[in-house]
Amino acid sequence: SFAVGLAGSGIMGGCFSFLCGDSGGVPRRQIDVAKHGFELAFGKSPTHYGAAPGRIEVLGNHTDYNEGYILSAAIDKFCVIAARRTEDNAGVMVSSEGRFERVTAQMNDIQKGYDTQSWANYIKGVLVELQQRGVELGGFEMYVH
């Protein structure tokens, strides 16, 4: 999915406005829910936000990652994250789905979770790919809504 915006909270409005209007098309309520969920999960305020639109696939479902053709379109549903960096080496992820399941991964030993059915595998997979491309990752706390 195309990331609509990722910015520090002080410039979030400017980033979203620059890209797509007041909130980048992301309903303000979803941003507020992600912020509130982060505060409940971690006891602090997030410093960064990100959002990506959902999509529908009209043709070619599940062929895009097999080098096939698809016809897809963004829809008005979004995945929104609220996050902040931490000083340790752990990535702690909490989702609004699954009763606030907390998943922790050490940044120096992230494993793609082929043996589990956790939602966090989507995030871990991205982190592994970033590391394989030489990106140094630090600790973070993330709430996914």
Side-chain angles (χ1 to χ4, degrees):
S1 292
F2 173 75
V4 172
L6 181 60
S9 58
I11 60 171
M12 183 185 84
C15 179
F16 282 127
S17 294
F18 173 74
L19 290 169
C20 302
D22 273 352
S23 62
V26 181
R28 182 78 224 175
R29 178 170 159 31
Q30 282 193 267
I31 296 168
D32 292 342
V33 168
K35 180 180 186 290
H36 181 69
F38 184 95
E39 290 168 346
L40 287 175
F42 299 107
K44 304 171 188 89
S45 293
T47 57
H48 293 78
Y49 296 88
R55 73 178 191 180
I56 58 169
E57 293 178 346
V58 181
L59 298 171
N61 192 7
H62 298 293
T63 63
D64 53 342
Y65 46 81
N66 290 312
E67 298 183 30
Y69 296 103
I70 65 164
L71 174 60
S72 65
I75 59 174
D76 65 347
K77 307 293 184 222
F78 290 83
C79 177
V80 179
I81 64 163
R84 74 177 201 87
R85 294 184 65 128
T86 60
E87 297 301 318
D88 59 14
N89 194 39
V92 181
M93 300 157 274
V94 175
S95 171
S96 63
E97 301 296 322
R99 298 186 175 93
F100 293 94
E101 173 191 9
R102 186 177 292 251
V103 176
T104 302
Q106 297 301 317
M107 293 299 103
N108 58 350
D109 188 34
I110 301 172
Q111 302 294 317
K112 290 184 184 178
Y114 296 115
D115 57 336
T116 66
Q117 295 294 318
S118 174
W119 60 270
N121 289 337
Y122 291 105
I123 299 168
K124 288 180 185 178
V126 171
L127 296 173
V128 167
E129 293 298 322
L130 287 170
Q131 284 181 327
Q132 289 176 352
R133 286 165 174 75
V135 176
E136 289 188 37
L137 302 174
F140 63 88
E141 296 171 331
M142 174 190 293
Y143 181 82
V144 181
H145 173 70

